[in-house]
Structure formats: structure tokens, C-alpha cells
Amino acid sequence: MDRHRARGRRARPSRRKPLLSTAVASAVLVGATAAGTVYVKAQAHDRPAAVSSASSSASASASASTAAAPSSSPAGNEEASVEPVAEPSADRDALLAKALESVTVAAGVKTSVAVLDVGSGESAVHGDAAFDTASIVKVDVLAALLLQAQDADRHLTAQEKTYATAMIENSDNVSTTALWASIGRAEGLDSANERFGLTSTRGGDGELWGLTQTTASDQLTLLRQVFGDDSELSAASRAYVQELMGKIATGQRWGVSAAADGSRWALKNGWLARSTTGLWDINSIGRISADGRVYLVATLSNGNSTQAKGISLVEAVSKAAVSAFRDAAES
């Protein structure tokens, strides 16, 4: 059971930074675009260059790509030039918000979700509130441990590997507490997260690792570190975390995996009944595959009246979030 009770918290100065928008704009390039499809317009040289309305930078690129007409061209003979215009990028945040309208959220419950389409590089976030991590912090703890081991130019010890396996695959709390101490508790976690690029995650007080505060956006950043090539973690470290997240105990295979088609997923869930309210924090993070595309998904929630209702909510939000990207890709 993943119950890490809240106790008195030490006062810590707020270090939260504003979240950056994760909507990804398509860049206009000569011959290709980051979004994929290139639309080509032919135009006469005696007319003003057509300009994409996508952005002011697109306007500059379009003007620079227009070729000058040869001086030997006969009068009245218009020679067309080719101007690439990027397909306008969808407002992913708006699409995500629209998709989540179909999910019923009980009064007093809060949710937040962040999604990245790995193939296109496009991402979106809904909600910027901070949540207790519960046991999803265990991925962060392992990432910090591996980063420290890399810095020391050493491999994990046999004991550390035993703890790591139990912590991720079975969500073992005793193993987590041991590794939490090994990395230097909150200070060690925060130091690693600064290098990982997490801006709104703060380690829990003392032994209360489950009360680490985070956002869906930060958890998506962490998933990029675990599953992406542009990472502070080495290829071997990333492969190790991914392997453990793909072997979650049978009774814990819920959450973002509900949005996958089949068994292609790697995840870590967190569930915590708060002693002060009796309400549940239910979270899920991971990588899933759906309709031939790969997504990183982080779904957080709190205020759930029961664990079962929280799990159902997180799964519904995860499905809706992935559908927003899938439907846009098919349209």
C-alpha cells in the first residue's frame, strides 16, 4: 500500500518559477517544416510575396525565400517562384482542454495533465497547479541516484539495484526511504531536478518523500529525461529506468496505460490517502503507444473520495488527453 502519511512540514521559501507554455509552434524552413507537410505556392514576381499568417518569423522566412526575376525575362512573361509555407500548427493546449470537457470531475477534485507526441515533438498541458507526488516521485529518486552515480563515475551497487527494483516495480516504500537518504533527501532531489530542467518540483520535508510537490508540466520534463535522447542521463541509465517501468507489478498496471492500445507501456503510479482529509492523491506517469504513435503522459489528481474513483478519473483524463492528439493527427 502506498500510504506515506503527512506530518508537520518544515517552512521552506517558495522557489516556484512561472511555467512556460508548452505549445510547440511550427518553424518555417526552405524545403521542409518542423510540423511535417510543406505547402507550396507559385506566384508571379510582379506581385508582393505571399506571407504565412502563422508568425512574424514565418513572414521573414517567406520573404527571404522569394527569388528575384531574371532581367532577361521577356515582358509579360511571368516566371513563378516556389515559396514554402508551413502548415499552421494546431493550438494543442486548446485541443487538450476541449477533449477534457468530456471527462466528469467531481466537486472538490483537481486534475492536471501534460502530453507529448514523441514523433511530432508537439506537447500540451492542462492545469498548472502543484500536487503531491505520492509514489511517482520514485522515478525522480532513481533518476537522481543514477545522475549522482554518473557524476562519481561509478555503477550502482548491488544493494542499490535491489532497492531500485523494489521501488519501481513494486512501489516499495522501505526501499524508497533508503534511496531517498542515499541521494541526500530533498536537497539531493532538488539539485538533480535543477539539472533535469524541472522548475516547479520541490522535495518533501525530512522523510516525507511522498509529499514532494510537482506539476504535470514538470513530470513531462522528467519523462523527457527518462525517455528522450537529449538528457542528463546516459543511454545506459535511461535504459535501466525504462526497463523497470516496463515491469510494474500486475496490480499496479493502471493509469496512463489505459490510453495505450495493447501492452506497449512503461509507467509509475502513485496513490496516497492524506491523513488530514482522508482524500486520495492519485497520479500516473509514463510512455504509451496508441495507433502507431508514442506519447509521454503525466496525469495528476487530488481530492478523490476513494482510490478506485481516483484511478478511474486518471484513466479517463489520460485517454481524453491522448485522443486530442490522435484526432488532430487524423484530421
Short mmCIF file of all heavy atoms in Angstrom, two decimals, residues 28-54:
data_model
loop_
_atom_site.label_atom_id
_atom_site.label_comp_id
_atom_site.label_asym_id
_atom_site.label_seq_id
_atom_site.Cartn_x
_atom_site.Cartn_y
_atom_site.Cartn_z
N VAL A 28 9.15 27.60 -40.01
CA VAL A 28 9.14 27.60 -41.47
C VAL A 28 10.56 27.45 -41.97
O VAL A 28 11.44 28.22 -41.61
CB VAL A 28 8.55 28.91 -42.00
CG1 VAL A 28 8.57 28.93 -43.52
CG2 VAL A 28 7.12 29.08 -41.50
N LEU A 29 10.81 26.45 -42.75
CA LEU A 29 12.12 26.21 -43.33
C LEU A 29 11.99 26.13 -44.84
O LEU A 29 10.95 25.79 -45.38
CB LEU A 29 12.70 24.87 -42.82
CG LEU A 29 12.81 24.73 -41.29
CD1 LEU A 29 13.28 23.32 -40.96
CD2 LEU A 29 13.78 25.75 -40.75
N VAL A 30 13.08 26.43 -45.57
CA VAL A 30 13.08 26.29 -47.01
C VAL A 30 13.18 24.82 -47.33
O VAL A 30 14.18 24.18 -47.07
CB VAL A 30 14.26 27.05 -47.64
CG1 VAL A 30 14.29 26.83 -49.14
CG2 VAL A 30 14.16 28.53 -47.32
N GLY A 31 12.13 24.25 -47.87
CA GLY A 31 12.13 22.86 -48.29
C GLY A 31 11.51 21.91 -47.29
O GLY A 31 11.24 20.78 -47.61
N ALA A 32 11.33 22.31 -46.00
CA ALA A 32 10.74 21.41 -45.02
C ALA A 32 10.22 22.22 -43.85
O ALA A 32 10.59 23.36 -43.66
CB ALA A 32 11.79 20.41 -44.51
N THR A 33 9.35 21.60 -43.02
CA THR A 33 8.87 22.26 -41.81
C THR A 33 8.95 21.29 -40.67
O THR A 33 8.90 20.07 -40.84
CB THR A 33 7.39 22.72 -41.96
OG1 THR A 33 6.57 21.57 -41.98
CG2 THR A 33 7.20 23.55 -43.19
N ALA A 34 9.04 21.86 -39.43
CA ALA A 34 9.09 21.01 -38.25
C ALA A 34 7.78 20.26 -38.09
O ALA A 34 7.73 19.19 -37.54
CB ALA A 34 9.35 21.87 -37.01
N ALA A 35 6.68 20.84 -38.57
CA ALA A 35 5.38 20.19 -38.42
C ALA A 35 5.20 19.09 -39.44
O ALA A 35 4.36 18.23 -39.30
CB ALA A 35 4.27 21.22 -38.59
N GLY A 36 5.97 19.08 -40.50
CA GLY A 36 5.87 17.99 -41.45
C GLY A 36 5.57 18.48 -42.85
O GLY A 36 6.46 18.76 -43.66
N THR A 37 4.30 18.63 -43.20
CA THR A 37 3.88 18.93 -44.56
C THR A 37 4.29 20.32 -44.99
O THR A 37 4.18 21.27 -44.25
CB THR A 37 2.35 18.82 -44.68
OG1 THR A 37 1.96 17.55 -44.19
CG2 THR A 37 1.91 18.98 -46.12
N VAL A 38 4.76 20.46 -46.22
CA VAL A 38 5.08 21.76 -46.78
C VAL A 38 4.07 22.07 -47.88
O VAL A 38 3.85 21.26 -48.77
CB VAL A 38 6.51 21.75 -47.38
CG1 VAL A 38 6.77 23.03 -48.13
CG2 VAL A 38 7.53 21.56 -46.28
N TYR A 39 3.46 23.22 -47.79
CA TYR A 39 2.55 23.68 -48.82
C TYR A 39 3.31 24.65 -49.72
O TYR A 39 3.99 25.54 -49.23
CB TYR A 39 1.33 24.36 -48.20
CG TYR A 39 0.46 23.38 -47.47
CD1 TYR A 39 0.67 23.10 -46.12
CD2 TYR A 39 -0.55 22.70 -48.14
CE1 TYR A 39 -0.10 22.17 -45.46
CE2 TYR A 39 -1.35 21.78 -47.47
CZ TYR A 39 -1.12 21.52 -46.14
OH TYR A 39 -1.89 20.61 -45.48
N VAL A 40 3.21 24.49 -51.04
CA VAL A 40 3.97 25.28 -51.98
C VAL A 40 3.03 26.19 -52.76
O VAL A 40 2.00 25.75 -53.27
CB VAL A 40 4.73 24.38 -52.97
CG1 VAL A 40 5.47 25.21 -53.99
CG2 VAL A 40 5.71 23.49 -52.20
N LYS A 41 3.39 27.48 -52.84
CA LYS A 41 2.61 28.44 -53.60
C LYS A 41 3.45 28.97 -54.75
O LYS A 41 4.62 29.32 -54.57
CB LYS A 41 2.18 29.62 -52.71
CG LYS A 41 1.13 29.29 -51.67
CD LYS A 41 0.70 30.54 -50.96
CE LYS A 41 -0.38 30.22 -49.91
NZ LYS A 41 -0.82 31.44 -49.22
N ALA A 42 2.86 29.04 -55.93
CA ALA A 42 3.52 29.67 -57.07
C ALA A 42 2.97 31.07 -57.22
O ALA A 42 1.77 31.29 -57.12
CB ALA A 42 3.25 28.86 -58.33
N GLN A 43 3.87 32.02 -57.48
CA GLN A 43 3.40 33.39 -57.61
C GLN A 43 4.28 34.14 -58.60
O GLN A 43 5.42 33.79 -58.82
CB GLN A 43 3.44 34.10 -56.25
CG GLN A 43 4.86 34.23 -55.70
CD GLN A 43 4.83 34.83 -54.31
OE1 GLN A 43 3.97 34.48 -53.52
NE2 GLN A 43 5.74 35.70 -54.03
N ALA A 44 3.71 35.18 -59.22
CA ALA A 44 4.45 35.98 -60.17
C ALA A 44 5.33 36.95 -59.43
O ALA A 44 5.03 37.39 -58.33
CB ALA A 44 3.47 36.75 -61.06
N HIS A 45 6.47 37.32 -60.07
CA HIS A 45 7.42 38.21 -59.41
C HIS A 45 6.93 39.65 -59.32
O HIS A 45 7.47 40.42 -58.55
CB HIS A 45 8.74 38.19 -60.18
CG HIS A 45 9.49 36.92 -59.97
ND1 HIS A 45 9.98 36.55 -58.74
CD2 HIS A 45 9.81 35.91 -60.82
CE1 HIS A 45 10.59 35.39 -58.84
NE2 HIS A 45 10.50 34.97 -60.09
N ASP A 46 5.91 40.02 -60.12
CA ASP A 46 5.47 41.41 -60.06
C ASP A 46 4.41 41.62 -59.00
O ASP A 46 3.80 42.66 -58.94
CB ASP A 46 4.94 41.87 -61.43
CG ASP A 46 3.75 41.05 -61.92
OD1 ASP A 46 3.46 40.02 -61.27
OD2 ASP A 46 3.13 41.43 -62.92
N ARG A 47 4.21 40.57 -58.13
CA ARG A 47 3.26 40.72 -57.02
C ARG A 47 4.01 40.64 -55.70
O ARG A 47 5.07 40.03 -55.60
CB ARG A 47 2.20 39.60 -57.06
CG ARG A 47 1.34 39.65 -58.31
CD ARG A 47 0.27 38.59 -58.23
NE ARG A 47 -0.56 38.58 -59.42
CZ ARG A 47 -1.60 37.79 -59.57
NH1 ARG A 47 -1.93 36.95 -58.61
NH2 ARG A 47 -2.31 37.83 -60.68
N PRO A 48 3.44 41.23 -54.64
CA PRO A 48 4.08 41.13 -53.32
C PRO A 48 4.18 39.67 -52.88
O PRO A 48 3.32 38.85 -53.20
CB PRO A 48 3.14 41.91 -52.40
CG PRO A 48 2.32 42.77 -53.31
CD PRO A 48 2.20 42.03 -54.60
N ALA A 49 5.23 39.34 -52.16
CA ALA A 49 5.41 37.97 -51.69
C ALA A 49 4.29 37.59 -50.72
O ALA A 49 3.93 38.36 -49.85
CB ALA A 49 6.76 37.85 -50.95
N ALA A 50 3.75 36.37 -50.93
CA ALA A 50 2.72 35.88 -50.01
C ALA A 50 3.35 35.60 -48.67
O ALA A 50 4.47 35.14 -48.57
CB ALA A 50 2.09 34.61 -50.58
N VAL A 51 2.61 35.88 -47.60
CA VAL A 51 3.15 35.73 -46.25
C VAL A 51 2.24 34.83 -45.44
O VAL A 51 1.03 35.02 -45.44
CB VAL A 51 3.26 37.10 -45.54
CG1 VAL A 51 3.75 36.91 -44.12
CG2 VAL A 51 4.20 38.00 -46.32
N SER A 52 2.82 33.83 -44.78
CA SER A 52 2.05 32.96 -43.90
C SER A 52 1.66 33.76 -42.67
O SER A 52 2.44 34.53 -42.14
CB SER A 52 2.90 31.75 -43.47
OG SER A 52 2.28 31.07 -42.41
N SER A 53 0.45 33.57 -42.20
CA SER A 53 -0.02 34.29 -41.01
C SER A 53 0.35 33.58 -39.73
O SER A 53 -0.03 33.99 -38.66
CB SER A 53 -1.55 34.45 -41.08
OG SER A 53 -2.17 33.19 -41.09
N ALA A 54 1.11 32.48 -39.86
CA ALA A 54 1.40 31.69 -38.66
C ALA A 54 2.22 32.46 -37.65
O ALA A 54 1.98 32.39 -36.45
CB ALA A 54 2.16 30.41 -39.04
#
